[in-house]
Amino acid sequence: MLAARCLLRAWRSCSSAPRPTAGPAAALSVRAALAVRSPGGERVKVQGWIRSVRSQKEVLFLHVNDGSSLENLQVVADSSFASRDLAFGSSVEVHGQLVPSPSKKQNVELKAEKIEVVGNCDAKTFPFKYKERYPLEYLRQFPHLRCRTNVQGAILRVRSEATAAIHSFFKESGFVHIHTPIITSNDCEGAGELFQVEPSSKMQVPEENFFNVPAFLTVSGQLHLEVMSGAFTQVFTFGPTFRAENSQSRRHLAEFYMVEAEISFVESLQDLMKVMEGLFKTTTMTVLSNCPEDVELCHRFIAPGQKDRLEHMLKNNFLIISYTEAVEILKRASQNFTFPPEWGADLHTEHEKYLVKHCGNVPVFVVNYPLTLKPFYMRDNGDGPPPTVAAVDLLVPGVGELFGGSLREERPHFLKQQLARLGLTETYQWYLDLRRFGSVPHGGFGMGFERYLQCILGVDNIKDVIPFPRFTHSCLL
């Protein structure tokens, strides 16, 4: 009650002052308004959506948010504004003065001179209610509205900050950003999980392809980056990729984003792993520094304990084990796996998560996989039998595989053998040309961006860290 009376006295004292009329109001975001430390009655304009409305005698309090901040801006208005349609979810434009707030909950508040309702909201049928906390599964039913909730707003701001941090890391490390094509004629991964691209209208000659060859949505920009690595020593791309996987798992999507890099004159996996670890830690530290409230919201309400787990990952060096060592660890495990571990078989998610736990919940690099498990472009280690290739996967707590990379096979005779074995010599003649004209030892990696967000925020389902999830039997909007 004492706090309420203080607010009422402050409002009355402000109301008695004459309202300035000269000069246009400066447009400010909520974030910028909240950052004003010593408000002196500056006239400003704020646009956003109402998050709460409450009235107290002659004073009306609104919380307004425009998506720029987790924190709301408090708007204090005369009770005469109560006749307006000021409902939860309505969009408004508020003109007024920034003044010090008598409340300890905020440094500044906006004393309203004018409130314009831009768009009404039917609060009774709106699927979200003020102060209600909804499970992420429930929010997933409303892809067109869920961005208006605190938790989705926080996740999307983290996503934006992480995107900028990744670009900054590569720029500061001397990488050139390359836009690789979304429509391509190759299957980089060789798994055959492709979406074929065809025109919606029937062509005059149905037997002809629009591009004269079959075209697909890209599964990876790697091969195009390898082309560029013949002219630039360090390149990267960051864009959408597509997999036609018939999966409803918590870590797969039909459309997702990949961060991929290619580095020339690299002759060891250790050099690649340094960049991978540096990318993860630098990006994460930047996000934690720039979005502390958003990250804290996720750690507090979605994944309690994730803060400590993330700090543990950041302060420890990532471990390195071979694929052979990984299989031996799995065979000695007391846990019963759905897929029994065997040398020569791929590692499944259950194996990856066990390995990370076995290694003390520190991210772990698994290196040197069997040649038969990996695509044609990975460099033969020259060991065996059975032979292995210079491949590396980074496994992280809670997610499993996050990064995948390798040294590329730059030796023409080895590459020809691999392509011939797979019947791909004619298709990849251009790839062989890269080895004929000034090739160098090189390697690269890819990181699933949505899995990265799952890892740092502790979000269990990948569908909750992307604005509009695409997966089998679901393409809403």
Side-chain angles (χ1 to χ4, degrees), residues 28-91:
L28 285 185
S29 68
V30 167
R31 185 182 184 91
L34 293 169
V36 177
R37 292 302 169 198
S38 300
E42 299 92 340
R43 294 192 70 248
V44 301
K45 175 179 71 176
V46 172
Q47 299 163 313
W49 293 265
I50 296 175
R51 290 293 177 86
S52 72
V53 183
R54 62 186 176 90
S55 60
Q56 189 172 346
K57 295 186 178 179
E58 295 98 344
V59 186
L60 188 68
F61 297 95
L62 307 178
H63 279 171
V64 176
N65 196 291
D66 64 353
S68 62
S69 169
L70 180 63
E71 187 179 354
N72 302 314
L73 175 65
Q74 178 164 280
V75 175
V76 184
D78 187 275
S79 58
S80 62
F81 287 104
S83 60
R84 311 284 178 87
D85 193 7
L86 300 175
F88 171 68
S90 295
S91 55

Side-chain angles (χ1 to χ4, degrees), residues 180-184 186 194-195 216-221 224 240-243:
T180 54
I182 291 177
I183 298 176
T184 180
N186 69 68
L194 301 165
F195 289 104
F216 312 95
L217 295 179
T218 183
V219 299
S220 169
H224 298 97
T241 51
F242 307 85
R243 305 281 169 87

Side-chain angles (χ1 to χ4, degrees), residues 15-26:
S15 298
S16 63
R19 295 183 179 180
T21 57

Side-chain angles (χ1 to χ4, degrees), residues 22 44 78 110 236 260 325 342 369 385 401-402 405:
V44 301
D78 187 275
L110 181 58
F236 83 101
E260 298 179 274
E325 290 173 314
E342 292 293 338
Y369 282 76
E401 182 190 345
L402 176 61

Side-chain angles (χ1 to χ4, degrees), residues 180-184 186-197 215-221 239-246 252-258 260 450 466 468-471 475:
T180 54
I182 291 177
I183 298 176
T184 180
N186 69 68
D187 176 9
C188 178
E189 298 298 313
E193 296 160 337
L194 301 165
F195 289 104
Q196 188 158 355
V197 176
F216 312 95
L217 295 179
T218 183
V219 299
S220 169
T241 51
F242 307 85
R243 305 281 169 87
E245 293 179 306
N246 188 16
H252 290 97
L253 290 167
E255 177 184 350
F256 57 98
Y257 278 71
M258 282 274 284
E260 298 179 274
E450 282 74 26
I466 191 169
F468 303 101
R470 302 304 191 226
F471 51 96
C475 187

Side-chain angles (χ1 to χ4, degrees), residues 410-426:
E410 87 284 2
R411 298 164 296 182
H413 62 287
F414 278 97
L415 189 56
K416 287 179 180 178
Q417 290 175 5
Q418 283 289 79
L419 290 172
R421 180 176 66 86
L422 299 170
L424 297 173
T425 302
E426 184 176 349

